[in-house]
Amino acid sequence: MTSARLTDTLRSLRALLPTTADYRDLRRTWKGDLVAGVTVGIVALPLALAFGVSSGAGAESGLVTAIIAGVIAAVFGGSNVQVSGPTGAMVVVLGPIIATNGVGALAIVGLLAGVIVVVAGVLRLGRAVTYIPWPVIEGFTLGIAIIIFLQQVPAALGTAPGPSTNALVAAVESLPTVSWPEAAWALGIVLVVAAIMVFAPRIHKLLPGSIIAIVLVSVVAVVAQLPVATIGELPPGLPMPIVPELTFDTVSPLIGAAFTVAALAAIESLLSARVAASISDTGPYDADRELVGQGLASVASAFFGGMPATGAIARTAVNVRTGGRTRLAAIVHAVLLAGIVVAGASIVAVIPLAALAGVLMVTSTRMISVATVRTVVGSTRSDAVVFVTTALITVTFDLIYAVLIGIAVAAFFALRALARSSGVHREELLGPAEPGDERIALFRLEGALFFGAAERMLERVGDIRDVEVVIIRMSQLQILDATGAQVINELIQALERRGVTVLVKGIQTRHLQLFTHVGAIASLRHQNHLFDDLPSAVEHARSHILRGPVKPVRG
């Protein structure tokens, strides 16, 4: 490696690390950052507890993730206002992994996934998320919201979920085990929590409805000694870091899960950062640095028994709307949660699980924008198909496959639309008509000539009869791939074999190398059958007519 290249590499890597510029506005914004950090911490507490419980890792794991990953992602990430921690999408993925491999697999999956995300950032793959179509993102979000809601059904009825790893099936399987009147108490708590969360913001937009609801139902449950399951005892303070056992036997069964978690962490974090940049005035985000920060956050969280972290769109939006402008806000949010763990573990232990289920049920419904769904479904038929397909696969099968299939379906419709926009048009020759012009065919290619449209062009021009010269006009051809170039090569060869002289006009410089490479230029009868302007091509064609027909090429 040359010294110049080494210098560029080091400069590129340094750009992925924190700098003092991250906090240049702190003197002006610190008060707003403190207020936003406290507000986000209050909002994040019930969600961290609920996501931890819902994933199967436990409430402590959710809190650890919000604290450890929240600080690391804030310091090392690429967004000034992103708030990271456990999220509903990650819970959807982790639930089946923990159910299948046990809680012990969580640290290994988190560590591997974190490393994968860091590597993706170092390799500058951050902008890849911009290639995900909007209907895929919205379908993915809708599917996640439905799964989160379904995951809470057993807790809302005071029973355990069924054995299936599919949220819908597990919810149905749990119904026969429902026991009354315990289920009535749990369902009542869910309804009270939901009502408070819905109506509190109507009284004042900054009222933390989830915290108010949890405190109220927890006090009632303790005083009345209601027969409902609670979070249970939490350890006082953060756990000591532990290095997970990494052997071939422990790692190999979890590699696929780690890549799934890494893909989800990267996608959700970058989407959240992009949303944050669009609603704040703190400048753009660095997508590659964001991946590095989120990957390091997941690695650190894994050492402390936490979950893989992602950027949280809802908490990030709260941060921006309550005045957060620098990374201090996200750091304050994590410090506040750490203080609650140290000072209030015994209080958190009495929170009913049904209360957390109510919080997540309301949260999941808020993830669904009816207006957005109407917009996507009502835009075009192809967008509606992509949206519905992504949502259905997310709910019934797998999140990552849903995104991949959604992208594939969207790409199919995009290519079909591009192929339909391409055209092959027969035109009249320039100038006054001359004898023999009827034996000259002028075709104009426009748009895109690629694997999705090339065959149609071959049929349109190749079927021409009763002509002696064909002029192919290519100056308006915008997109060309190897398939399109090869089809033109085959067309030239087929016409020349029939004795039809082919003239090519207006090959763009960027296409010439590809035509030469596939042999299309060599297939022309003469090198002087390439033209830069149409009058010269037409004049040459008319001279061929005057000289008489050409004998077909044999063989």
Side-chain angles (χ1 to χ4, degrees):
M1 180 181 293
T2 64
S3 59
R5 189 170 182 180
L6 178 60
T7 301
D8 290 340
T9 301
L10 293 176
R11 186 182 297 113
S12 177
L13 292 176
R14 279 199 301 270
L16 300 175
L17 298 176
T19 66
T20 55
D22 295 337
Y23 306 94
R24 60 171 171 251
D25 296 328
L26 194 56
R27 290 184 180 181
R28 178 174 56 86
T29 66
W30 68 271
K31 291 183 180 179
D33 290 330
L34 288 176
V35 173
V38 171
T39 305
V40 175
I42 293 172
V43 172
L45 175 61
L47 292 175
L49 294 171
F51 287 140
V53 172
S54 184
S55 69
E60 179 190 6
S61 181
L63 286 172
V64 166
T65 307
I67 296 167
I68 301 298
V71 170
I72 299 297
V75 173
F76 289 91
S79 170
N80 289 322
V81 292
Q82 176 97 288
V83 178
S84 301
T87 60
M90 189 58 69
V91 166
V92 170
V93 171
L94 290 177
I97 294 174
I98 293 175
T100 303
N101 302 282
V103 178
L106 182 63
I108 297 176
V109 170
L111 181 60
L112 295 177
V115 171
I116 293 170
V117 175
V118 170
V119 171
V122 172
L123 295 178
R124 301 288 178 176
L125 300 179
R127 292 297 173 186
V129 72
T130 60
Y131 295 105
I132 302 178
W134 180 51
V136 174
I137 294 173
E138 294 302 332
F140 174 75
T141 303
L142 174 61
I144 289 174
I146 294 172
I147 293 175
I148 293 173
F149 189 93
L150 291 171
Q151 286 178 334
Q152 309 317 309
V153 169
L157 295 174
T159 188
S164 176
T165 57
N166 181 275
L168 175 59
V169 177
V172 173
E173 290 175 340
S174 70
L175 296 180
T177 63
V178 173
S179 176
W180 303 91
E182 289 83 358
W185 287 113
L187 191 58
I189 288 174
V190 170
L191 294 176
V192 170
V193 169
I196 294 175
M197 289 183 67
V198 169
F199 290 105
R202 299 185 181 181
I203 300 173
H204 193 286
K205 63 180 182 179
L206 294 181
L207 276 179
S210 57
I211 288 290
I212 295 173
I214 285 179
V215 170
L216 178 61
V217 299
S218 297
V219 170
V220 172
V222 171
V223 173
Q225 297 183 346
L226 299 182
V228 292
T230 61
I231 288 178
E233 185 177 355
L234 296 178
L238 293 174
M240 294 298 294
I242 299 176
V243 178
E245 182 183 357
L246 300 176
T247 65
F248 179 81
D249 291 337
T250 60
V251 170
S252 57
L254 300 174
I255 291 178
F259 273 98
T260 298
V261 169
L264 177 60
I267 292 172
E268 189 172 15
S269 297
L270 293 177
L271 289 177
S272 178
R274 189 169 71 178
V275 170
S278 68
I279 64 175
S280 70
D281 55 0
T282 57
Y285 69 100
D286 186 325
D288 299 311
R289 182 179 166 185
E290 182 63 25
L291 289 182
V292 172
Q294 295 295 341
L296 293 175
S298 291
V299 170
S301 179
F303 286 133
F304 286 87
M307 304 153 55
T310 77
I313 295 177
R315 276 158 274 172
T316 299
V318 170
N319 182 34
V320 172
R321 290 167 183 163
T322 53
R325 291 297 179 270
T326 74
R327 299 160 192 269
L328 177 64
I331 295 173
V332 169
H333 129 273
V335 172
L336 176 64
L337 292 177
I340 293 174
V341 169
V342 173
S346 58
I347 298 176
V348 172
V350 302
I351 296 175
L353 295 179
L356 300 182
V359 170
L360 289 188
M361 282 182 162
V362 175
T363 301
S364 65
T365 57
R366 287 175 174 171
M367 292 173 63
I368 303 172
S369 170
V370 176
T372 300
V373 172
R374 287 176 179 170
T375 301
V376 177
V377 173
S379 54
T380 65
R381 182 178 298 177
S382 59
D383 287 334
V385 171
V386 171
F387 172 77
V388 173
T389 300
T390 305
L392 286 176
I393 296 176
T394 300
V395 174
T396 60
F397 191 55
D398 180 88
L399 278 77
I400 302 303
Y401 283 126
V403 172
L404 295 176
I405 293 174
I407 292 174
V409 174
F412 167 77
F413 284 120
L415 289 174
R416 189 179 69 168
L418 186 61
R420 288 178 173 177
S421 68
S422 305
V424 181
H425 307 282
R426 186 168 182 177
E427 298 181 324
E428 297 295 328
L429 298 182
L430 296 177
E434 296 184 12
D437 279 0
E438 70 278 1
R439 299 199 296 276
I440 302 174
L442 171 61
F443 290 95
R444 183 184 82 250
L445 308 185
E446 63 181 11
L449 186 61
F450 65 109
F451 64 89
E455 195 65 30
R456 185 157 53 95
M457 191 279 291
L458 180 62
E459 294 174 357
R460 176 79 171 83
V461 181
D463 289 343
I464 194 72
R465 292 291 183 271
D466 300 324
V467 298
E468 297 175 18
V469 182
V470 168
I471 304 173
I472 302 178
R473 186 179 177 188
M474 303 182 60
S475 56
Q476 297 185 37
L477 190 63
Q478 301 301 317
I479 299 174
L480 179 74
D481 69 355
T483 302
Q486 178 59 25
V487 164
I488 291 182
N489 180 33
E490 294 172 0
L491 175 64
I492 293 172
Q493 293 176 356
L495 291 173
E496 292 286 359
R497 282 195 298 268
R498 287 164 38 195
V500 178
T501 300
V502 180
L503 310 180
V504 176
K505 177 266 172 184
I507 294 182
Q508 298 183 39
T509 304
R510 58 196 173 106
H511 297 156
L512 183 59
Q513 183 178 359
L514 180 56
F515 270 110
T516 304
H517 182 72
V518 301
I521 304 301
S523 296
L524 295 171
R525 188 171 305 155
H526 297 292
Q527 293 296 313
N528 62 356
H529 286 180
L530 280 176
F531 297 89
D532 293 327
D533 61 273
L534 186 57
S536 298
V538 173
E539 181 182 354
H540 195 90
R542 284 168 172 164
S543 70
H544 269 273
I545 297 299
L546 293 176
R547 290 196 298 267
V550 177
K551 293 182 180 181
V553 178
R554 301 296 181 185

